[in-house]
Amino acid sequence: MTETEAEKCLAEYRALLKAWTMCVVGLNPGDSDVIGRKLDAGEPLLLRIADEFPDKAYSVDLLVNARKRTWAGFEDERVPRAQRA
C-alpha cells in the first residue's frame, strides 16, 4: 500500500464515519447499524495503515475512538427524532 492509497482509505473511512454520525443523530435517513458494520469491517485496514505509516497512527486513533467512545452510549440511548416531511 502506498501513502496515497492510505490517505484515500482514511478519507473514505472518515466519510463513512460522518454518514454514520448523521444517521445516529437523526439528521440523515439510513440504517446506522449497517453503516456501523461497515465501519467495523474497515478497522483492520486502519490498523494496517497505522502499522505501515506511523505518522498516520494518530489519525487512525482519532477515527476509531470517535465512534467507540463518543457515540457508544448515545446510540443505545438516543430518542428517535421526528421524521421530516
Side-chain angles (χ1 to χ4, degrees):
M1 172 182 294
T2 67
E3 190 166 357
T4 303
E5 291 170 332
E7 285 291 338
K8 181 180 176 191
C9 290
L10 290 174
E12 289 170 356
Y13 192 90
R14 195 174 293 114
L16 193 59
L17 181 63
K18 180 179 179 179
W20 177 78
T21 302
M22 299 295 276
C23 286
V24 167
V25 298
L27 294 176
N28 283 349
D31 189 345
S32 62
D33 293 333
V34 171
I35 298 172
R37 285 191 289 276
K38 289 180 183 178
L39 289 169
D40 289 340
E43 283 186 23
L45 180 58
L46 292 181
L47 298 176
R48 183 175 153 214
I49 290 170
D51 284 342
E52 291 183 23
F53 303 99
D55 59 317
K56 299 193 183 321
Y58 182 73
S59 295
V60 168
D61 190 47
L62 285 177
L63 290 172
V64 171
N65 287 325
R67 179 162 165 257
K68 299 294 184 196
R69 293 186 184 157
T70 305
W71 293 102
F74 179 76
E75 183 180 16
D76 292 335
E77 300 169 9
R78 71 179 186 258
V79 175
R81 294 177 63 125
Q83 296 295 321
R84 294 182 181 180

